[in-house]
Amino acid sequence: MRIKRKPLDDLFSKYIRLKAENRCERCGNYSKKLDCSHFWGRGRHNVRWDEENACALCCGCHTYLGGNAEEHRAFFLERLGQERYDLLQIRANTRWDGDEEAVKLYFRKKVSELKEAEE
């Protein structure tokens, strides 16, 4: 069953991709069509909009890591380091009690800041 996308998912994805400046965070290739890739899937609400749980990947890297769970785990472990990876795992396994509206305001501000920095 697919997780229904919310407007906040689109905003979060935009932020992650803008932050990467059109470069795949795995291979470094330039692409205008990056995907927002989650380590823990969007069904885990506690980390659905967590910046440490997502990165911008080109289609090739996203597809590859999506089909290779151990390499996907190793990529995020290397990216975050053991302590941050362990904390992300704890957050992923914790019940969601957050406020989507507050998260939306936060990412609107972050997207606005990145766009201003581009100009």
Side-chain angles (χ1 to χ4, degrees), residues 2-93:
R2 292 189 64 107
I3 304 294
K4 184 177 178 188
R5 286 187 66 88
K6 299 179 176 197
L8 180 50
D9 291 313
D10 294 332
L11 179 62
F12 178 73
S13 175
K14 182 176 187 173
Y15 169 70
I16 294 297
R17 291 178 286 119
L18 277 171
K19 191 171 78 163
E21 299 178 336
N22 296 317
R23 295 243 175 240
C24 175
E25 294 184 61
R26 181 171 177 260
C27 70
N29 286 338
Y30 177 85
S31 176
K32 289 267 187 185
K33 295 192 175 197
L34 295 173
D35 295 332
C36 176
S37 174
H38 291 77
F39 178 65
W40 293 98
R42 287 184 291 121
R44 303 267 183 135
H45 271 80
N46 218 38
V47 292
R48 185 172 182 160
W49 305 292
D50 186 319
E51 294 175 59
E52 290 192 335
N53 186 47
C55 64
L57 297 178
C58 67
C59 183
C61 286
H62 196 194
T63 300
Y64 178 77
L65 290 178
N68 295 281
E70 187 54 36
E71 288 193 45
H72 196 206
R73 187 196 70 74
F75 170 71
F76 268 85
L77 178 58
E78 181 180 331
R79 190 170 174 268
L80 297 174
Q82 189 68 57
E83 184 177 351
R84 287 172 50 212
Y85 178 87
D86 291 344
L87 290 170
L88 176 63
Q89 187 168 15
I90 290 167
R91 290 192 308 274
N93 291 304

Side-chain angles (χ1 to χ4, degrees), residues 96-107:
W96 165 255
D97 286 326
D99 177 355
E100 285 186 31
E101 288 303 313
V103 175
K104 192 181 301 181
L105 288 172
Y106 172 80
F107 283 111

